[in-house]
Amino acid sequence: MRTILVVGGGYAGFYTAWKLEKKLRRDEARIIVVDPRPYMTYQPFLPEVLAGSVEARHAAVSLRRHLRRTRLIAGSVNRIDHAERTVTVQPVDGEPFPLAYDVIVVTAGAVTRKFAIPGVAEQAIGMKHVEEAVAIRDRLLTSFDRASALPPGPQRQRLLTVTFVGGGFSGVEGFGELLSLATSLLKAYPEIKQTELAFHLVEARGRILPEVTDGPGEWVVRSLERRGGHVHLNTQVQSATGGHVVLSTGEEFDSGLIVWTAGNGANPMVRSHTDLPINDRGLLVVRADLRVGTEAEPVPDAWGAGDDAAVPDLALGHGAVTVPNAQHAVRQGKLLAKNIVASLRGRTPKPYVHHSLGTIATLGLGRGIFQYHRIVITGLLAWFMHRGYHVLAVPSWERKVRVAAIWLTAALFGRDIVSLASVQHPRRAFVTGGDPQEHLQLVREDAATR
């Protein structure tokens, strides 16, 4: 049997393997997926994980639960040598080892794009994975607990100041949802006033949400500012050393929580450690049918999709490539499986063409925005549309039911506002032996290193 190796278990990789299992005969090919995480993150739910509207585990789709005919390797591909049909795998434990294949599917996924800004690497949290979303939520809840015991002053203000860097979909949705959570927490924390909350959204361009037109984008800014948010357009973060944020406008403030959502960058492995063709942005050169290469020079037995592939956008034309979002990654993964099967059976693969279904975003509980061409819907209806779309889009009925159940529970009883930040230090209680003074000292030391 031929071996099909899928590099990466994100949207495109998961759907490729999942559909291959259903379409391939058992004796036709074996499938291997290499990914360091045992799950696929359903990223549109991360803002709601921040807000406690979705349970963290429900935003993660188990690879082993759904890919039952696939060999899963917990590790990362460090290098692709397609000339030899071999990759180098770095497992979570142990030494790197070579892995041979016949057909390769590169869906490694993008990485968080960082800049050489002092303090960002030490202070900021990204928002691409479930662990990061949980950490952001727990950090906010813990900050409320600590701030409520302090008198008004710089330390209390720092704890109640949140900064999001990046005004794309992840940043705006995360900002809106966390602001919604913080506002709702005021009922449980009478010691804290609404005016003490300081939420900053920093965007280098002159607008947020580039996927929507100017009018709706301006409406989102006004909506966030009416709720107490501070939106800084045409502004860059120059420093975040020690949590002290310095903006290019000259404004400075201390921030207890900094969330970095300033876009994605090419995966270093794809950009620098493969003999497959890449473009000047470090993305895999891919044809319309998702085969690697150009129309004149296709690369045999190599396929690519998702955030790390420059897939031609035939719906737009003029040399455009598909934007890195879930709509494209899911559909590319499904078509990729069909095209691989067609290629193995001597048929012609089909080109990828997808016309946008519109743009939809959540801005907090009961608030959202939807745009399809000139049709714009805002407010509660758009929020319901967002939830309806994503509960249908999340893979498997098991996840759909779990998510719908947690939404219903939250509607009846409200959000759960318990912080489990201590789970990041599971041995602390054991080490301190229950001594409250020693416990507090460790908590202070941990806070000082953030």
Side-chain angles (χ1 to χ4, degrees):
M1 289 194 296
R2 294 165 67 84
T3 297
I4 302 172
L5 173 63
V6 180
V7 180
Y11 281 119
F14 170 79
Y15 274 95
T16 298
W18 199 25
K19 296 302 179 181
L20 280 173
E21 285 192 349
K22 297 178 180 180
K23 296 180 179 300
L24 289 170
R25 297 186 297 270
R26 287 188 175 273
D27 61 347
E28 198 167 7
R30 63 174 62 88
I31 308 165
I32 301 175
V33 172
V34 180
D35 195 279
R37 286 180 170 80
Y39 57 83
M40 183 269 283
T41 301
Y42 190 73
Q43 291 185 350
F45 279 159
L46 292 187
E48 297 207 51
V49 172
L50 259 67
S53 299
V54 169
E55 165 62 34
R57 285 185 174 85
H58 298 168
V61 179
S62 170
L63 298 182
R64 291 192 179 275
R65 184 184 184 98
H66 298 286
L67 303 181
R68 299 181 180 179
R69 292 173 49 196
T70 298
R71 178 189 173 192
L72 299 172
I73 298 177
S76 302
V77 171
N78 288 346
R79 177 177 294 278
I80 299 174
D81 184 358
H82 190 63
E84 299 295 331
R85 300 296 195 274
T86 303
V87 299
T88 302
V89 177
Q90 174 61 65
V92 175
D93 299 298
E95 297 297 319
F97 62 87
L99 182 65
Y101 64 84
D102 297 293
V103 177
I104 192 168
V105 179
V106 182
T107 56
V111 297
T112 301
R113 182 177 58 187
K114 297 187 290 289
F115 303 97
I117 300 173
V120 166
E122 295 78 17
Q123 298 293 326
I125 302 175
M127 211 180 85
K128 284 184 67 66
H129 303 290
V130 173
E131 304 95 327
E132 294 171 322
V134 172
I136 292 167
R137 177 175 183 269
D138 284 344
R139 181 79 67 86
L140 180 74
L141 294 173
T142 301
S143 292
F144 264 71
D145 284 330
R146 294 171 59 194
S148 65
L150 292 172
Q155 188 176 359
R156 176 171 165 134
Q157 186 58 64
R158 174 193 177 100
L159 289 169
L160 297 176
T161 300
V162 176
T163 305
F164 273 70
V165 185
F169 256 80
S170 294
V172 172
E173 288 192 311
F175 183 83
E177 285 287 351
L178 205 64
L179 178 59
S180 177
L181 172 61
T183 303
S184 69
L185 286 175
L186 295 172
K187 297 177 182 178
Y189 291 86
E191 306 90 342
I192 300 175
K193 299 178 181 178
Q194 170 88 42
T195 54
E196 293 184 273
L197 299 180
F199 272 65
H200 299 270
L201 175 62
V202 183
E203 169 53 46
R205 292 168 293 187
R207 53 167 299 177
I208 60 175
L209 293 180
E211 293 85 351
V212 302
T213 54
D214 290 346
E218 292 168 0
W219 178 88
V220 173
V221 171
R222 294 194 300 270
S223 174
L224 294 175
E225 290 181 337
R226 282 197 300 268
R227 294 159 56 193
H230 306 280
V231 181
H232 306 264
L233 300 177
N234 295 310
T235 305
Q236 297 177 342
V237 173
Q238 295 187 329
S239 173
T241 303
H244 183 71
V245 178
V246 180
L247 302 181
S248 59
T249 57
E251 187 174 354
E252 300 183 24
F253 51 85
D254 289 329
S255 183
L257 174 59
I258 301 173
V259 183
W260 187 266
T261 61
N264 296 325
N267 191 295
M269 185 276 294
V270 174
R271 184 179 63 238
S272 305
H273 302 289
T274 175
D275 58 351
L276 295 171
I278 60 171
N279 64 14
D280 54 0
R281 295 175 52 203
L283 301 177
L284 203 63
V285 176
V286 176
R287 296 156 37 116
D289 60 6
L290 305 180
R291 285 188 285 192
V292 174
T294 63
E295 293 299 325
E297 297 183 9
V299 178
D301 301 322
W303 305 77
D307 293 354
D308 265 325
V311 180
D313 193 336
L314 299 184
L316 293 179
H318 308 294
V321 298
T322 57
V323 296
N325 63 21
Q327 273 194 44
H328 285 300
V330 169
R331 287 163 178 80
Q332 287 170 9
K334 293 178 179 179
L335 178 65
L336 194 47
K338 294 179 181 178
N339 280 354
I340 291 173
V341 173
S343 178
L344 292 176
R345 295 175 182 174
R347 299 199 300 266
T348 302
K350 296 181 179 180
Y352 174 74
V353 183
H354 172 62
H355 296 274
S356 175
L357 302 176
T359 300
I360 193 164
T362 175
L363 303 173
L365 194 63
R367 300 176 176 91
I369 184 169
F370 168 79
Q371 181 175 19
Y372 179 74
H373 299 304
R374 295 185 179 182
I375 300 173
V376 178
I377 300 174
T378 61
L380 183 62
L381 177 57
W383 179 75
F384 274 120
M385 292 170 65
H386 177 274
R387 286 202 161 184
Y389 172 78
H390 285 298
V391 80
L392 292 174
V394 68
S396 83
W397 280 101
E398 173 256 345
R399 275 293 178 267
K400 298 180 198 298
V401 172
R402 288 183 186 274
V403 170
I406 202 71
W407 280 342
L408 177 60
T409 303
L412 293 174
F413 303 108
R415 294 170 168 138
D416 194 326
I417 60 171
V418 175
S419 169
L420 295 178
S422 57
V423 76
Q424 299 173 40
H425 307 278
R427 298 185 64 252
R428 179 172 287 164
F430 175 75
V431 171
T432 62
D435 187 316
Q437 294 300 321
E438 189 174 350
H439 175 78
L440 284 174
Q441 180 61 31
L442 289 174
V443 171
R444 293 191 189 103
E445 291 175 359
D446 175 55
T449 60
R450 288 176 177 171

